[in-house]
Amino acid sequence: MSAEQTSSSDVPTLLVKIFGKDRPGITAGLFDTLAAYSVDVVDIEQVVTRGRMVLCALVTAPPRTLEGDLRATVHSWAESIKMQAEIISGLGDNRPRGLGRSLVTVLGHPLTAEATAAIAAKIAKAGGNIDRIFRLAKYPVTAVEFAVSGVETEPLRTALVTDAGKLGVDVAVVAAGLHRRAQRLVVMDVDSTLIQDEVIELFAAHAGCEDEVAEVTAAAMRGELDFEQSLHARVALLEGLDVSVVDKVRSEVRLTPGARTLIRTLKRLGFQVGVVSGGFTQVTDDLQDRLGLDFAQANTLEIVDGKLTGRVTGEIVDRAGKARLLRRFAAEAGVPLSQTVAIGDGANDLDMLNAAGLGVAFNAKPVVREAAHTAVNVPFLDTVLYLLGVTREEVEAADAHEED
């Protein structure tokens, strides 16, 4: 029977389901049993959860004179290995998936039944159908991916992201397709994103003006102050600091949990990775060297005669500047903006997040969470990998292979 005939909607087919305790050889045994009846395979799917498997095989039906014998043989074989079997008659292949296909990633810490029910209900209410569910990770967060069809990505995102925080979950919705597997560019903010600190506050601690700087920083991140004005005001407080403070600050910088894993994994996948910062090149240049980043751009503290002057030099990296640099990095990397991912936490990251194909608000201020494509509110930066469809098992396997 030809492939064209097999996929025809009027061809009799059998859905053969086998379920029970998983062990090697079950799939081979089932198809060896079916092979005696010269059936063709139309579809196969298998899932294993806590050692229990469900194997589904959609095959063309044999001649009517042999179907009863096939059913009896499959049931007998299943019983012989202490499994259960169910065989359902029908016509043709699976029904076509609806137009509009998206991938919905849900992160929970923990992922509750209540939250899962609410997400599933919202998908249905938006007109979507859940075609498949797959677990991406079980720690440090539970991450599952829903393949959804029947509704366009943007209205589905709107339906799901709203009130996700109240359910205790983070939700990301991206269009399904080949572009998700293409080489990409990931650009991150630095302060409170790639690292746990605000670099200017580390400098301020050495100048004895930490409280004053922190107050201005907080106001700027909330979008209450113009970033460039606040930058100049904060840097002015550092006037007179000895240049030796730069090395001290570099040693004090703390990477966000999961930062190394995120960058290491992205690089293995062929991604290019960059940072843009309203902080300072005196720190970002060091991070670029340590982490193997492809791109890095920040403001530069002016140093004269071994002292900080309280001024910055060169082009200011502000809200508009970050978006401009994302576009520049993408052009240099040969990656369209639709294939870029931006990650940030503050109001000055918003233009960059909105310009990227996927903008991720990482433990962000409310104004940023509301405007970004998706939000991650757990303290692990490598959870961004799950939004890209990378599983925890794949990360660990790659790490183990590298050690070997």
Side-chain angles (χ1 to χ4, degrees):
M1 182 176 291
S2 70
E4 183 178 350
Q5 289 173 314
T6 301
S7 62
S8 175
S9 61
D10 59 359
V11 173
T13 52
L14 298 176
L15 174 59
V16 181
K17 298 170 62 179
I18 305 296
F19 41 98
K21 185 177 180 181
D22 184 37
R23 54 192 176 279
I26 294 173
T27 304
L30 172 62
F31 285 98
D32 186 54
T33 302
L34 293 172
Y37 299 90
S38 300
V39 298
D40 295 334
V41 177
V42 179
D43 195 5
I44 311 172
E45 190 151 347
Q46 178 175 309
V47 63
V48 178
T49 304
R50 210 179 67 178
R52 309 294 291 185
M53 78 172 296
V54 177
L55 170 60
C56 294
L58 186 64
V59 299
T60 55
R64 286 188 176 276
T65 55
L66 295 178
E67 184 175 329
D69 188 52
L70 180 150
R71 289 173 175 269
T73 303
V74 169
H75 280 286
S76 177
W77 167 78
E79 290 175 5
S80 73
I81 58 171
K82 296 182 171 56
M83 302 286 283
Q84 293 178 277
E86 181 181 4
I87 304 175
I88 303 170
S89 299
L91 292 175
D93 199 349
N94 305 306
R95 64 179 177 83
R97 295 178 64 191
L99 296 177
R101 300 181 184 180
S102 304
L103 296 170
V104 177
T105 306
V106 181
L107 308 178
H109 189 55
L111 178 60
T112 65
E114 178 184 11
T116 305
I119 294 296
K122 285 176 177 285
I123 291 172
K125 187 175 180 180
N129 183 73
I130 299 173
D131 301 314
R132 182 174 299 173
I133 305 174
F134 177 71
R135 187 178 72 180
L136 296 166
K138 61 182 178 181
Y139 74 91
V141 300
T142 301
V144 295
E145 181 178 273
F146 296 77
V148 177
S149 62
V151 59
E152 295 299 326
T153 299
E154 285 305 321
L156 181 62
R157 178 184 290 140
T158 300
L160 295 182
V161 172
T162 304
D163 296 331
K166 295 179 181 178
L167 297 171
V169 295
D170 297 324
V171 179
V173 183
V174 298
L178 290 176
H179 67 276
R180 198 188 193 204
R181 299 179 178 87
Q183 185 183 32
R184 290 191 180 188
L185 167 70
V186 175
V187 176
M188 289 176 277
D189 174 43
V190 175
D191 293 10
S192 298
T193 300
L194 178 63
I195 66 175
Q196 300 177 58
D197 313 282
E198 292 287 334
V199 168
I200 195 165
E201 292 180 11
L202 297 179
F203 276 103
H206 292 281
C209 57
E210 188 174 13
D211 290 343
E212 296 96 313
V213 166
E215 183 177 342
V216 178
T217 299
M221 290 298 99
R222 291 193 299 268
E224 297 171 1
L225 292 176
D226 173 81
F227 178 81
E228 184 172 350
Q229 291 178 336
S230 70
L231 174 67
H232 289 303
R234 289 174 292 175
V235 171
L237 296 170
L238 306 181
E239 182 180 0
L241 270 181
D242 191 85
V243 70
S244 63
V245 168
V246 170
D247 287 335
K248 294 177 182 178
V249 168
R250 286 174 175 173
S251 67
E252 293 166 352
V253 165
R254 301 166 300 163
L255 292 174
T256 298
R260 288 187 183 276
T261 300
L262 172 65
I263 294 169
R264 180 175 67 247
T265 304
L266 289 172
K267 298 293 284 183
R268 285 173 177 165
L269 291 170
F271 284 53
Q272 296 190 57
V273 184
V275 294
V276 290
S277 176
F280 311 109
T281 57
Q282 282 83 358
V283 171
T284 58
D285 288 350
D286 180 62
L287 290 171
Q288 183 175 18
D289 291 340
R290 286 166 52 194
L291 299 174
L293 300 172
D294 299 284
F295 305 98
Q297 189 69 45
N299 301 300
T300 299
L301 292 169
E302 184 181 61
I303 299 173
V304 176
D305 296 329
K307 303 287 185 181
L308 274 64
T309 66
R311 296 186 294 271
V312 292
T313 62
E315 180 183 1
I316 297 297
V317 179
D318 56 7
R319 175 169 171 166
K322 288 187 174 185
R324 185 169 59 251
L325 287 165
L326 170 69
R327 293 186 176 92
R328 191 180 86 189
F329 293 167
E332 292 178 10
V335 176
L337 274 178
S338 61
Q339 298 294 314
T340 64
V341 179
I343 311 169
D345 75 299
N348 65 331
D349 297 315
L350 273 174
D351 289 1
M352 175 178 72
L353 297 182
N354 289 328
L358 176 64
V360 181
F362 181 73
N363 292 314
K365 283 69 178 174
V367 65
V368 183
R369 290 199 303 268
E370 292 168 6
H373 297 139
T374 188
V376 172
N377 296 300
V378 294
F380 311 107
L381 193 56
D382 54 337
T383 55
V384 173
L385 291 169
Y386 310 144
L387 307 184
L388 305 178
V390 180
T391 69
R392 171 57 63 177
E393 287 183 349
E394 289 170 328
V395 173
E396 293 177 346
D399 287 341
H401 179 73
E402 187 74 17
E403 291 174 2
D404 294 342

